[in-house]
Amino acid sequence: MFVVDWPVKDTYAINNVAVRNIKVDGTGTSVVNARVGGFASFENVDARNVGAPFVNNCGTFHFENPPTFDVRLLTGNDGGWYGATWCEDRPAAVPPPPPSAWN
């Protein structure tokens, strides 16, 4: 989750975050939630049993297209990352199945 406090949402950003070589299993909502400007890259991130679209990106809530937070998908990501980015301020949680072994 990448978040900044509402009163300073247009003043601060989160930039140059690299997420690599992780597995995500059983989120109740998304893999990435962004409520800030800036950017992060994702490489070799495997995800499964995700309850909502993978990237919930409202950026700084100016609802620009593309959003003010740039999700940079690099190589090796697996599990459905290439779906549409969406923005839902309070997404409903979806109960995931119980964790199981990775193949």
Side-chain angles (χ1 to χ4, degrees), residues 23-100:
K23 293 181 186 321
V24 178
D25 188 8
T27 68
T29 56
S30 302
V31 174
V32 175
N33 284 286
R35 305 291 184 277
V36 65
F39 68 93
S41 63
F42 296 84
E43 182 176 20
N44 196 31
V45 176
D46 293 333
R48 66 180 184 184
N49 301 319
V50 176
F54 278 52
V55 179
N56 184 353
N57 187 353
C58 294
T60 55
F61 288 94
H62 292 291
F63 302 102
E64 297 169 355
N65 193 7
T68 50
F69 189 81
D70 184 14
V71 175
R72 299 176 182 178
L73 300 177
L74 305 178
T75 62
N77 298 310
D78 190 26
W81 278 88
Y82 293 98
T85 294
W86 64 303
C87 174
E88 174 62 47
D89 193 29
R90 291 182 176 89
V94 176
S100 60

